[in-house]
Amino acid sequence: MIRYSLKRLLSLVLSLAIASVVIFAVIEVAPGDPASFMLGVNAQEDTLAALRAELGLDVSKAHRYLAWVTGMLSGDFGTSYTYRTPVAEMISDRLWVSLPLALFALALSTLIAFPAGIYAAARRGKAGDMAVMGATQLGVAIPNFWFAMMLVLIFAINLRWFGAGGFAGWDDGLWVGLHSLTLPAIALALPQAAILARVMRSALLDILGEDFMRTARAKGLSRRQALWRHGVRNAMIPVLTIIGLQFSFLLAGSIIIEQVFYLPGLGRLVFQAISSRDLIVVESVVMLLVFAVITVNFLVDLAYALVDPRLRSRT
Amino acid sequence: MRPNLKRSLVSGLALGATLLASQVWAKDDITVAMQLEPPHLDPTSAAAQAIDSVVYSNIFEGLTRFMGDGAIVPGLAESWEISEDGKTYTFKLHDGVTFHDGTTMDGEDVKFSLDRARGEDSANAQKALFAGIADVTVVDPLTVQVTLSEPNGNFLFNLAWGDAVIVAPESIENIKTAPVGTGAFKFSNWVQGDRIDLERNAEYWGAQPALAKATIKFISDPTAAFAAVMAEDVDVFSGFPAPENLPQFDADPRFQVLVGSTEGETILSTNNKQPPFDNVKVRQALAHAIDRQAIIDGAMFGYGTPIGTHFAPHNPAYVDLTGNSAHDPEKAKALLAEAGFPDGFETTLHLPPPSYARRGGEIIAAQLAAVGIKAEITNVEWAQWLETVFRGKNFGLTIVSHTEPMDIGIYARPEYYFQYDNKAFQDLMASLNETTDPAMRTEMLQKAQTVISEDYVNGYLFQLANLGVAKANVQGLWVNAPTAAIDLTGVSWAN
């Protein structure tokens, strides 16, 4: 087990190192100079040079890469070119929006998907199953930005139950903050719920054909009891894997939803930073997301090994 | 029991009515939205217009200032005297002006600000505005003498720019995130990515603003902007990004639509050094191939004023030269044939992100194709545009709005990205700079407009409109945009 963990850890470190090189290279190669973007069309050559020196852009790329990586190792993500505030601070501010939003959306999607998936599996081939499958098909097909706009049209403009966007902050209490995240969370959650419900259903259907399910029925459990006690628990393995993947996606992939609801989250930060060539912010946020995904994968690998002894002996 | 109940009911109602009335009466906060978030809040070290939109006149003030109608009036300088030779300006400053941190604003701050802007390590995006200053002397705390190396008829105008506001050495270090100015509003809070909060400056030297609090929100997506106004999440949207939605707001009694002018001459910028555009016949053909009104209607939904030269139509010195480049495809074809391109030619068309460029570009490409010019469209981001087109001069055509006020002088800079090199024009601009007599200046400006129009330097399309939406009872907003600003000092709620 220890050898297995060490191997996984080594691959984690290697992945991060490779990712940092790739991220830096790809982002630095994009045309556009941060200084000239900031100073615009009337900037004089000496002014540009002064600003480049101030931003630390006058040294070689290799030098900047090393400074960036060693800075990150000591927890210093550098200072944003345009905002002139520490990148770490900006990221943590934005995480206070993106993380709760991702968790909120994940909770909603799970709450919708579990009952729907179980219900559909229990009524396999009947009208209820058809209805759930049809609805999830629709949920997977609808683009979430369009769905988001429909939500705004109905609940913000016509019914006026919610604001059309923006984030109220957590200072006025949990309820106020959650209220302003409700529409974006629903917009993010429904397509995810549709996927999750389908996975839940098919995982359950696989389980229902297993020998131990027949045994459970044979020892006198009703269909429903067998489904809940033995079926759902065993179906959780693929479902949890999907949930893990969805969480990474929700954290990093809500750029469009953040645009539609003008939420100050991580996605919008990256979007703004790319167009203003605030390279250090883009690099650091992307690196952080890579770190999050790789770490989650590492933990999942470890969890697999705990669950499945064959994995331990094989390596 | 019953009379009691009645009395409490009545008093309750009365209380409610008073509360309601006082609430209506006391409405002194406002939420204003704009599309782009400023990168930071120092107007003296960046070109981003979003910075000026937030801080100009609200937080920071200069010696002179723009009014909503474009007039230049005294700001922190109460009055000034100009010497006979036009080289020395003696400014008398307002007494009793303090910065938001309590320190006094005096001649030393003026000297500090001007010297900082023109200094060697200056990061000022408009450093050229200060290039003519030879010396700044503090005569006494309320008197500052500025000496120019040459007379400059534009000097008071230059000082009104957001890039020339007065800042204090005491607070300069954190100006980007915690700006300290002399304006009627103090900076209070910035939730990055979301909003900036301003509050009334009780110590303000001038008239107190009607608003006690203002929130400026940043909503970049046009659809989200529409939703935010419709849901009444914001009271004002300055620079509304979706002109196609304006008729709907106009028809809704809850809102008013503000259509004004900007300093933005939107042009089909042409690389005058790149063949075949070095041939004036080709540029003239280009000009006649373009149907301005179709572009204004198609790209801007009718908002925008046609221009025939690089000058703002609302300026008294403007000459209407649109006739020089009337839409005439047959003439364009004839001119192309004359220039040796009977079958047209191929070129590139770089389009930056604003909708005037992206939508307008598609229309222009189609109009050019009709006379045989095949323009290959490349969509670029601003950073890319600056690198390739503006600095690299590696382009054939591009569409851009030149938003700086009074910027016809760029045609006197042969190294400027469209590379127009005309000695006569450069001499004209040089003598304009030295002329202070208003009548003569007007005459020279009109001559300048005619020269570039008849040289077909660029394709002149339209003056960008300033589009805003506000709740019907908001008053005192700028309709025009002589400079980028959301000046809140005169804004209030009508009862």
Coordinates of all heavy atoms in Angstrom, one line a residue, chain B residues 104-159:
Chain B
T104 N -4.3 68.6 3.0 CA -4.7 69.8 2.2 C -4.2 69.7 0.8 O -3.1 69.2 0.5 CB -4.1 71.1 2.8 OG1 -4.3 71.0 4.2 CG2 -4.7 72.3 2.3
M105 N -5.1 70.1 -0.2 CA -4.6 70.2 -1.5 C -4.1 71.6 -1.8 O -4.8 72.6 -1.7 CB -5.8 69.9 -2.5 CG -5.5 69.6 -3.9 SD -4.9 70.9 -4.9 CE -6.3 72.0 -4.9
D106 N -2.8 71.6 -2.2 CA -2.2 73.0 -2.4 C -1.2 72.9 -3.6 O -1.2 71.8 -4.3 CB -1.5 73.5 -1.2 CG -0.4 72.6 -0.7 OD1 0.1 71.8 -1.5 OD2 0.0 72.7 0.5
G107 N -0.5 74.0 -3.9 CA 0.4 74.1 -5.0 C 1.4 72.9 -5.1 O 1.7 72.5 -6.2
E108 N 1.8 72.4 -4.0 CA 2.8 71.4 -4.0 C 2.2 70.1 -4.6 O 2.9 69.4 -5.3 CB 3.3 71.0 -2.5 CG 4.2 72.1 -1.9 CD 5.5 72.4 -2.7 OE1 5.9 71.4 -3.4 OE2 6.0 73.5 -2.6
D109 N 0.9 69.8 -4.3 CA 0.3 68.7 -4.9 C 0.2 68.8 -6.4 O 0.3 67.8 -7.2 CB -1.1 68.5 -4.3 CG -1.0 68.2 -2.8 OD1 -0.3 67.3 -2.4 OD2 -1.7 68.9 -2.0
V110 N -0.1 70.0 -6.9 CA -0.2 70.3 -8.3 C 1.1 70.0 -9.0 O 1.2 69.3 -10.0 CB -0.7 71.7 -8.6 CG1 -0.7 72.0 -10.1 CG2 -2.1 71.9 -8.0
K111 N 2.2 70.6 -8.4 CA 3.5 70.4 -8.9 C 3.9 68.9 -8.9 O 4.4 68.4 -9.9 CB 4.5 71.2 -8.1 CG 6.0 71.0 -8.6 CD 6.9 71.9 -7.8 CE 8.4 71.6 -8.1 NZ 8.8 71.5 -9.5
F112 N 3.6 68.2 -7.8 CA 3.8 66.8 -7.7 C 3.1 66.0 -8.9 O 3.7 65.2 -9.6 CB 3.4 66.3 -6.4 CG 3.4 64.8 -6.3 CD1 4.6 64.1 -6.1 CD2 2.2 64.0 -6.4 CE1 4.6 62.7 -6.1 CE2 2.2 62.7 -6.3 CZ 3.4 62.0 -6.1
S113 N 1.9 66.3 -9.1 CA 1.1 65.6 -10.1 C 1.6 65.8 -11.5 O 1.7 64.9 -12.3 CB -0.4 66.0 -10.0 OG -0.9 65.9 -8.7
L114 N 1.9 67.1 -11.8 CA 2.3 67.4 -13.2 C 3.7 66.8 -13.4 O 4.0 66.3 -14.5 CB 2.2 68.9 -13.4 CG 0.8 69.5 -13.4 CD1 0.9 71.0 -13.8 CD2 -0.1 68.8 -14.5
D115 N 4.6 67.0 -12.4 CA 6.0 66.5 -12.6 C 6.0 65.0 -12.7 O 6.7 64.4 -13.4 CB 6.8 66.9 -11.4 CG 7.2 68.4 -11.5 OD1 7.0 69.0 -12.6 OD2 7.8 69.0 -10.5
R116 N 5.1 64.3 -11.9 CA 5.0 62.9 -12.0 C 4.5 62.4 -13.4 O 5.1 61.4 -13.9 CB 4.0 62.4 -10.9 CG 3.8 60.9 -10.9 CD 2.9 60.6 -9.7 NE 2.4 59.2 -9.7 CZ 1.3 58.8 -10.2 NH1 0.5 59.8 -10.7 NH2 0.9 57.6 -10.3
A117 N 3.6 63.1 -13.9 CA 3.0 62.7 -15.2 C 4.1 62.9 -16.4 O 4.1 62.2 -17.3 CB 1.8 63.5 -15.5
R118 N 4.9 63.9 -16.2 CA 5.8 64.2 -17.3 C 7.3 63.6 -17.1 O 8.1 63.7 -17.9 CB 5.9 65.7 -17.6 CG 6.6 66.5 -16.6 CD 6.3 68.0 -16.6 NE 7.0 68.8 -15.7 CZ 8.1 69.4 -15.9 NH1 8.7 69.3 -17.0 NH2 8.7 70.0 -14.9
G119 N 7.4 63.1 -15.9 CA 8.8 62.6 -15.4 C 9.3 61.5 -16.3 O 8.6 60.9 -17.1
E120 N 10.6 61.2 -16.1 CA 11.2 60.2 -16.9 C 10.6 58.8 -16.7 O 10.4 58.0 -17.7 CB 12.7 60.1 -16.5 CG 13.6 59.6 -17.6 CD 15.0 60.1 -17.4 OE1 15.3 61.3 -17.8 OE2 15.8 59.4 -16.8
D121 N 10.3 58.4 -15.4 CA 9.7 57.1 -15.2 C 8.2 57.1 -15.1 O 7.6 56.2 -14.6 CB 10.3 56.5 -13.9 CG 10.2 57.4 -12.8 OD1 9.7 58.5 -13.0 OD2 10.5 57.0 -11.6
S122 N 7.6 58.1 -15.8 CA 6.2 58.3 -15.7 C 5.5 57.1 -16.4 O 6.0 56.6 -17.5 CB 5.8 59.5 -16.5 OG 4.5 59.5 -16.9
A123 N 4.4 56.6 -15.9 CA 3.7 55.5 -16.5 C 2.4 56.1 -17.1 O 1.4 55.4 -17.3 CB 3.4 54.4 -15.5
N124 N 2.4 57.4 -17.4 CA 1.1 58.0 -17.9 C 0.9 57.6 -19.3 O 1.8 57.8 -20.2 CB 1.3 59.6 -17.7 CG -0.1 60.2 -17.8 OD1 -0.8 60.2 -18.8 ND2 -0.5 60.8 -16.7
A125 N -0.3 57.2 -19.6 CA -0.7 56.7 -20.9 C -0.8 57.8 -21.9 O -0.8 57.6 -23.1 CB -2.0 55.9 -20.9
Q126 N -1.0 59.0 -21.4 CA -1.1 60.2 -22.3 C 0.0 61.2 -22.0 O -0.2 62.4 -21.9 CB -2.4 60.9 -22.1 CG -3.6 60.0 -22.1 CD -4.0 59.5 -23.5 OE1 -3.4 60.0 -24.5 NE2 -4.8 58.4 -23.5
K127 N 1.2 60.7 -21.9 CA 2.4 61.5 -21.5 C 2.6 62.7 -22.4 O 3.0 63.8 -22.0 CB 3.6 60.6 -21.5 CG 4.8 61.2 -20.7 CD 5.9 60.2 -20.6 CE 7.2 60.9 -20.1 NZ 8.4 60.0 -20.1
A128 N 2.1 62.5 -23.7 CA 2.3 63.6 -24.7 C 1.5 64.9 -24.3 O 1.9 66.0 -24.7 CB 1.8 63.1 -26.0
L129 N 0.5 64.7 -23.5 CA -0.3 65.9 -23.0 C 0.6 66.9 -22.3 O 0.3 68.0 -22.2 CB -1.4 65.5 -22.1 CG -2.6 64.6 -22.7 CD1 -3.6 64.3 -21.6 CD2 -3.3 65.4 -23.8
F130 N 1.6 66.3 -21.6 CA 2.4 67.1 -20.7 C 3.8 67.5 -21.3 O 4.6 68.1 -20.7 CB 2.6 66.4 -19.4 CG 1.4 65.8 -18.8 CD1 1.0 64.5 -19.1 CD2 0.5 66.6 -18.0 CE1 -0.2 64.0 -18.6 CE2 -0.7 66.1 -17.5 CZ -1.0 64.8 -17.8
A131 N 4.0 67.0 -22.6 CA 5.3 67.2 -23.2 C 5.8 68.6 -23.3 O 7.0 68.9 -23.2 CB 5.3 66.5 -24.5
G132 N 4.8 69.5 -23.4 CA 5.2 70.9 -23.6 C 5.6 71.7 -22.3 O 6.0 72.8 -22.4
I133 N 5.4 71.0 -21.2 CA 5.7 71.7 -19.9 C 7.2 71.8 -19.7 O 7.9 70.7 -19.7 CB 5.0 71.0 -18.7 CG1 3.5 70.9 -18.9 CG2 5.3 71.7 -17.4 CD1 2.7 70.2 -17.8
A134 N 7.7 73.0 -19.5 CA 9.1 73.1 -19.2 C 9.4 73.2 -17.7 O 10.4 72.7 -17.3 CB 9.7 74.4 -19.9
D135 N 8.4 73.8 -17.0 CA 8.7 74.0 -15.6 C 7.4 74.2 -14.8 O 6.5 74.8 -15.4 CB 9.6 75.2 -15.4 CG 9.9 75.5 -13.9 OD1 10.4 74.6 -13.3 OD2 9.6 76.6 -13.5
V136 N 7.3 73.7 -13.6 CA 6.2 74.0 -12.7 C 6.7 74.6 -11.4 O 7.6 74.0 -10.8 CB 5.4 72.7 -12.4 CG1 4.2 73.0 -11.6 CG2 5.0 71.9 -13.7
T137 N 6.2 75.8 -11.1 CA 6.7 76.5 -9.9 C 5.6 76.8 -9.0 O 4.6 77.3 -9.4 CB 7.4 77.8 -10.3 OG1 8.3 77.6 -11.4 CG2 8.2 78.4 -9.1
V138 N 5.8 76.5 -7.7 CA 4.8 76.8 -6.7 C 5.1 78.3 -6.2 O 6.2 78.5 -5.5 CB 4.8 75.8 -5.5 CG1 3.8 76.2 -4.5 CG2 4.6 74.4 -6.0
V139 N 4.3 79.2 -6.5 CA 4.5 80.6 -6.1 C 4.2 80.8 -4.7 O 4.9 81.3 -3.9 CB 3.7 81.6 -7.0 CG1 4.0 83.0 -6.6 CG2 4.1 81.4 -8.5
D140 N 3.0 80.4 -4.3 CA 2.6 80.3 -2.9 C 1.6 79.1 -2.9 O 1.2 78.6 -3.9 CB 2.0 81.6 -2.4 CG 0.7 82.0 -3.2 OD1 -0.3 81.2 -3.1 OD2 0.7 83.1 -3.8
P141 N 1.1 78.7 -1.6 CA 0.3 77.5 -1.6 C -0.9 77.5 -2.5 O -1.3 76.4 -2.9 CB -0.1 77.5 -0.1 CG 1.0 78.2 0.6 CD 1.5 79.3 -0.3
L142 N -1.4 78.6 -2.9 CA -2.6 78.6 -3.7 C -2.3 79.2 -5.1 O -3.2 79.5 -5.9 CB -3.7 79.4 -3.1 CG -4.3 78.8 -1.8 CD1 -5.4 79.7 -1.2 CD2 -4.8 77.4 -2.0
T143 N -1.0 79.3 -5.5 CA -0.7 79.8 -6.8 C 0.4 79.0 -7.4 O 1.4 78.7 -6.8 CB -0.2 81.3 -6.8 OG1 -1.0 82.0 -5.9 CG2 -0.1 81.9 -8.1
V144 N 0.1 78.5 -8.7 CA 1.1 77.6 -9.4 C 1.3 78.2 -10.7 O 0.4 78.6 -11.4 CB 0.6 76.2 -9.5 CG1 1.6 75.3 -10.2 CG2 0.3 75.6 -8.2
Q145 N 2.6 78.3 -11.1 CA 3.0 78.8 -12.4 C 3.5 77.7 -13.3 O 4.5 77.0 -12.9 CB 4.0 79.9 -12.2 CG 4.0 80.9 -13.4 CD 4.9 82.1 -13.0 OE1 6.1 81.9 -12.9 NE2 4.3 83.2 -12.9
V146 N 2.9 77.5 -14.4 CA 3.3 76.4 -15.4 C 3.9 77.1 -16.6 O 3.2 77.9 -17.2 CB 2.2 75.5 -15.8 CG1 2.7 74.4 -16.7 CG2 1.6 74.9 -14.5
T147 N 5.2 76.8 -16.9 CA 5.8 77.4 -18.1 C 5.9 76.4 -19.2 O 6.4 75.2 -18.9 CB 7.2 77.9 -17.7 OG1 7.1 78.6 -16.5 CG2 7.8 78.8 -18.8
L148 N 5.5 76.8 -20.4 CA 5.6 75.8 -21.5 C 6.8 76.2 -22.4 O 7.2 77.4 -22.4 CB 4.3 75.9 -22.3 CG 3.0 75.7 -21.6 CD1 1.8 75.9 -22.6 CD2 2.9 74.4 -21.0
S149 N 7.3 75.2 -23.1 CA 8.4 75.6 -24.0 C 7.9 76.2 -25.2 O 8.6 77.0 -25.8 CB 9.2 74.3 -24.3 OG 8.3 73.2 -24.6
E150 N 6.7 75.9 -25.7 CA 6.1 76.5 -26.8 C 4.7 76.9 -26.4 O 4.1 76.2 -25.6 CB 6.0 75.5 -28.0 CG 7.3 75.0 -28.5 CD 8.1 76.1 -29.2 OE1 7.5 77.0 -29.8 OE2 9.3 76.0 -29.2
P151 N 4.1 77.9 -27.0 CA 2.7 78.2 -26.7 C 1.8 77.0 -27.1 O 2.1 76.3 -28.1 CB 2.3 79.4 -27.6 CG 3.6 79.9 -28.1 CD 4.6 78.9 -28.0
N152 N 0.8 76.7 -26.4 CA -0.1 75.5 -26.7 C -1.5 75.9 -26.5 O -2.0 76.0 -25.4 CB 0.3 74.3 -25.8 CG -0.5 73.1 -26.2 OD1 -1.4 73.1 -26.9 ND2 0.0 72.0 -25.6
G153 N -2.2 76.0 -27.6 CA -3.6 76.4 -27.6 C -4.5 75.4 -26.9 O -5.6 75.7 -26.5
N154 N -4.0 74.2 -26.8 CA -4.8 73.1 -26.2 C -4.5 72.9 -24.7 O -5.0 71.9 -24.1 CB -4.5 71.8 -26.9 CG -5.4 71.6 -28.1 OD1 -6.5 72.1 -28.1 ND2 -4.9 70.8 -29.1
F155 N -3.7 73.7 -24.1 CA -3.2 73.3 -22.8 C -4.3 73.1 -21.7 O -4.3 72.1 -21.0 CB -2.1 74.3 -22.3 CG -1.4 73.9 -21.1 CD1 -0.7 72.7 -21.0 CD2 -1.5 74.7 -19.9 CE1 -0.1 72.3 -19.9 CE2 -0.8 74.3 -18.8 CZ -0.1 73.1 -18.8
L156 N -5.2 74.1 -21.7 CA -6.3 74.0 -20.7 C -7.2 72.8 -20.9 O -7.7 72.1 -20.0 CB -7.1 75.3 -20.7 CG -6.4 76.5 -20.2 CD1 -7.2 77.7 -20.4 CD2 -6.0 76.4 -18.7
F157 N -7.3 72.4 -22.2 CA -8.1 71.2 -22.6 C -7.3 70.0 -22.2 O -7.9 69.1 -21.6 CB -8.2 71.3 -24.1 CG -8.8 70.1 -24.8 CD1 -10.2 69.9 -24.9 CD2 -8.0 69.1 -25.3 CE1 -10.7 68.8 -25.5 CE2 -8.5 68.0 -25.9 CZ -9.9 67.9 -26.0
N158 N -6.0 70.0 -22.4 CA -5.2 68.8 -22.0 C -5.3 68.6 -20.5 O -5.4 67.4 -20.0 CB -3.7 69.0 -22.3 CG -3.5 69.0 -23.8 OD1 -4.4 68.7 -24.6 ND2 -2.3 69.3 -24.2
L159 N -5.4 69.7 -19.7 CA -5.4 69.5 -18.2 C -6.7 69.0 -17.7 O -6.9 68.6 -16.6 CB -5.1 70.9 -17.6 CG -3.7 71.4 -17.6 CD1 -3.6 72.7 -16.9 CD2 -2.7 70.4 -17.1

